[in-house]
Amino acid sequence: MTQSLIFDMDGTLFQTDKILELSLEDTFDQLRSQNKWNDVTPIDQYREIMGVPLPEVWAALLPNHSKEVREEANAYFLERLIDNIKAGKGALYPHVEEVFRYLKENQCSIYIASNGLTQYLKAIVDYYQLDQWVTETFSIQQIHTLDKADLIKIIMKKYNINKGAVVGDRLSDFRAAKENGLESIGCRFDFAREEELSQADQVIDDLIELQSIGAQMKHNF
């Protein structure tokens, strides 16, 4: 049986922290220039909520601002993220390409399910040419519930997936896996928290470990 692995993007495949602070600083500089912000950039607060859908991010970072201001900030932030990706300022985590190549050679189907927006995900996939391994990339933007479990469900239905695993770094990934009857593999990377990783079925410190896990899954399936 063909294996299926569904990967999160930020903090799992892509080292978001390399462009996060740059892009967020640019966004709050823009707000300061418009006299809509007069404090330091809340980078630490953003790191705390990293992984939630962007509408929730801006509601948290700009709680006293209008929906219009939040949407403008989100749009500008997205522009800066994409510009920084295209400028090569980001990076994949070590061994992403090596692991993807190994998984494809061993008849594993690879998908991406992310809380990131479609344009942002496309910029990463295009820049690093991930579509040579990834069957399809899905954004939370594609569903109205903004619930990652629902996004995983759509992937499973579309590709007739019955068994497999979700690879991610946050609780939303592990819950999405559990609600859909999949294994969960937690990545102890930049944005991960130990109390959330405890909810994963397995935890890895390097993506290269997926080679041995993939082989084990194939044997079990």
Side-chain angles (χ1 to χ4, degrees), residues 9-23:
M9 178 66 88
D10 292 314
T12 299
L13 297 176
F14 185 68
Q15 296 186 56
T16 317
D17 59 324
K18 289 187 177 293
I19 61 168
L20 176 63
E21 190 166 347
L22 288 172
S23 304

Side-chain angles (χ1 to χ4, degrees), residues 22-40:
L22 288 172
S23 304
L24 202 64
E25 194 66 58
D26 288 343
T27 303
F28 278 86
D29 280 345
Q30 174 83 345
L31 289 170
R32 281 186 277 264
S33 72
Q34 298 171 340
N35 296 315
K36 296 176 181 176
W37 188 261
N38 58 9
D39 205 344
V40 297

Side-chain angles (χ1 to χ4, degrees), residues 6 75 100 114 117 131 140 147 150 191-192:
I6 304 172
F100 275 11
S114 171
L117 299 184
D131 55 0
I140 201 73
D147 186 333
D150 291 337
F191 302 107

Side-chain angles (χ1 to χ4, degrees), residues 142-160:
Q142 295 171 238
I143 59 171
H144 70 279
T145 64
L146 300 183
D147 186 333
K148 199 160 197 179
D150 291 337
L151 188 62
I152 298 294
K153 187 179 298 182
I154 287 174
I155 298 172
M156 293 178 68
K157 183 177 180 180
K158 180 172 182 177
Y159 289 99
N160 194 29

Side-chain angles (χ1 to χ4, degrees), residues 21-169:
E21 190 166 347
L22 288 172
S23 304
L24 202 64
E25 194 66 58
D26 288 343
T27 303
F28 278 86
D29 280 345
Q30 174 83 345
L31 289 170
R32 281 186 277 264
S33 72
Q34 298 171 340
N35 296 315
K36 296 176 181 176
W37 188 261
N38 58 9
D39 205 344
V40 297
T41 300
I43 183 68
D44 290 337
Q45 186 179 358
Y46 187 59
R47 286 179 176 275
E48 285 293 312
I49 58 176
M50 183 70 189
V52 305
L54 281 172
E56 295 180 30
V57 167
W58 293 107
L61 297 187
L62 300 174
N64 301 317
H65 291 68
S66 67
K67 181 180 178 182
E68 181 183 14
V69 170
R70 292 175 189 169
E71 289 176 349
E72 289 174 355
N74 183 52
Y76 189 79
F77 181 57
L78 181 61
E79 286 179 15
R80 296 308 304 138
L81 284 170
I82 291 173
D83 287 345
N84 284 321
I85 291 166
K86 291 180 176 179
K89 295 181 180 179
L92 298 176
Y93 279 97
H95 306 124
V96 168
E97 296 178 358
E98 180 181 348
V99 168
F100 275 11
R101 188 177 299 110
Y102 171 85
L103 292 174
K104 289 298 287 185
E105 288 174 353
N106 286 272
Q107 289 74 54
C108 180
S109 296
I110 301 170
Y111 308 88
I112 293 173
S114 171
N115 283 335
L117 299 184
T118 304
Q119 291 172 269
Y120 166 72
L121 298 173
K122 185 178 186 303
I124 298 173
V125 170
D126 288 352
Y127 187 84
Y128 296 101
Q129 300 179 343
L130 297 181
D131 55 0
Q132 61 186 301
W133 301 294
V134 177
T135 301
E136 189 172 349
T137 298
F138 293 80
S139 164
I140 201 73
Q141 197 174 10
Q142 295 171 238
I143 59 171
H144 70 279
T145 64
L146 300 183
D147 186 333
K148 199 160 197 179
D150 291 337
L151 188 62
I152 298 294
K153 187 179 298 182
I154 287 174
I155 298 172
M156 293 178 68
K157 183 177 180 180
K158 180 172 182 177
Y159 289 99
N160 194 29
I161 298 170
N162 297 309
K163 293 185 178 180
V166 175
V167 184
D169 67 319

